[in-house]
Amino acid sequence: MNTVQLECYMAVAENLNFARAAEQLHITQPAVTHQINSLEAELDVKLFRRTTRTVELTAPGWVFWGYAKDILAKTAQAKNRLAGHFEDQIQPFVIGCHSPFELTLLPEVLRQLAKDYPQVHPEIKMVPFQALRNLLQEETLDVMLGFGEEKEKKKTGTYVELARAPVVYVAARGHALAEKSAVTLEELHQGRLILCDPHKSSPVITEMQGRLISTRPPSRMFFSENIECALTFVKAGLGFTILPDMPLMRSDELCYIPVKNTAPASFGLYYKTLQNNPVLRSFIRIIKDYSQQLK
């Protein structure tokens, strides 16, 4: 594996188009194709799903994204250091997120972290949750954010709870149940339901969605890739959704009504080890304090 292969992979992954990748790299399209084919042969996986009209990343292709980006970044860093371009030491700190809403917690936390450690250079990796798990196990990440899973099949790492969020019914103002102070799960068996990708939701929400799906035909359901997409559909008046009532996630346009007799969703962070990582210790302390202030 060489940097030319990785640069071609990253260019195709970013553009999802071999011709545009070739233009970006100032090489020919056959050269890009050759490098991708040789990389796939070396890894013994297909990184891209290609048709005459489209190019898509496969599941292994998504997983490889984090590794390739990290290798190229470290290679560039090594070249710069050896060339004497760095006068000051920098300390990378890699945070894993799998859903955009997790980013809302980070600006104030990183602002405070930078005061404690001016040399810290944060990096955020946005990849699917399972890929984040793998990166954490291999210590490519320092920390990852996500919902807690009580019945994990595979131990992700040490979990630190930041918030216990009650489950709420979310709907546009004027929706059938929008004036109620609380709703029951039975009441949610009626109406059009907006579902969120279970890989980006709390296990509590996923279990509830499964129960609500059984009472509806497909015409009464809308599927969304993440929480932000679900809320967009809700604002459009297409239906309602159920979500953990997370800090910083509320919109004045919508109603948030507690669902009775439901367990709260646990949200927090995972890390592999605190050993020789004072920056991670500070990050955990700061984000715990900040989460408490938001309650």
Side-chain angles (χ1 to χ4, degrees), residues 5-205:
Q5 291 173 321
L6 297 180
E7 287 169 353
C8 288
Y9 160 78
M10 292 296 293
V12 176
E14 289 168 358
N15 292 280
L16 295 180
N17 184 290
F18 277 71
R20 284 198 292 270
E23 290 176 7
Q24 178 180 314
L25 296 170
H26 304 292
I27 60 177
T28 65
Q29 184 173 335
V32 173
T33 302
H34 172 73
Q35 294 297 333
I36 295 299
N37 288 342
S38 64
L39 180 60
E40 289 178 329
E42 187 172 341
L43 295 173
D44 196 26
V45 295
K46 283 292 182 184
L47 298 172
F48 297 98
R49 187 178 299 108
R50 288 165 266 186
T51 69
T52 54
R53 294 186 177 183
T54 63
V55 177
E56 296 178 345
L57 280 164
T58 62
W62 274 110
V63 172
F64 189 64
W65 170 279
Y67 296 114
K69 187 175 180 182
D70 191 53
I71 291 168
L72 288 173
K74 282 183 166 53
T75 301
Q77 183 180 349
K79 287 180 179 178
N80 284 327
R81 288 202 173 183
L82 291 172
H85 293 171
F86 280 118
E87 296 180 1
D88 301 317
Q89 290 290 322
I90 67 170
Q91 184 167 355
F93 184 72
V94 188
I95 305 165
C97 299
H98 74 285
S99 181
F101 90 87
E102 295 162 354
L103 299 178
T104 60
L105 288 169
L106 293 179
E108 181 58 32
V109 174
L110 292 178
R111 187 177 295 113
Q112 294 183 42
L113 187 68
K115 290 180 181 179
D116 293 344
Y117 294 93
Q119 77 276 23
V120 165
H121 280 227
E123 179 183 350
I124 298 173
K125 291 186 181 291
M126 290 285 294
V127 295
F129 188 72
Q130 186 55 53
L132 288 178
R133 278 180 167 174
N134 295 336
L135 294 175
L136 188 71
Q137 289 298 321
E138 295 169 9
E139 299 186 38
T140 302
L141 300 178
D142 291 283
V143 65
M144 60 178 276
L145 300 177
F147 289 103
E149 299 186 62
E150 294 182 3
K151 301 177 181 178
E152 289 188 83
K153 295 179 181 178
K154 181 180 179 182
K155 188 71 173 176
T156 300
T158 300
Y159 179 68
V160 177
E161 184 175 85
L162 300 175
R164 291 186 70 78
V167 176
V168 290
Y169 153 92
V170 186
R173 299 189 183 281
H175 197 268
L177 302 174
E179 300 303 318
K180 297 178 72 70
S181 59
V183 297
T184 64
L185 192 60
E186 288 69 28
E187 288 178 293
L188 301 183
H189 284 292
Q190 304 298 320
R192 294 186 295 183
L193 173 64
I194 297 167
L195 300 159
C196 189
D197 183 343
H199 295 99
K200 298 179 181 176
S201 298
S202 159
V204 172
I205 299 298

Side-chain angles (χ1 to χ4, degrees), residues 218-257:
S219 61
R220 304 291 286 174
M221 294 184 286
F222 296 86
F223 295 88
S224 56
E225 184 176 333
N226 53 42
I227 291 174
E228 290 71 24
C229 292
L231 292 175
T232 298
F233 291 162
V234 172
K235 290 176 183 177
L238 299 181
F240 72 89
T241 191
I242 49 172
L243 295 174
D245 195 9
M246 294 293 298
L248 303 178
M249 281 298 296
R250 286 204 170 204
S251 167
D252 293 339
E253 301 175 51
L254 303 175
C255 299
Y256 298 80
I257 301 170

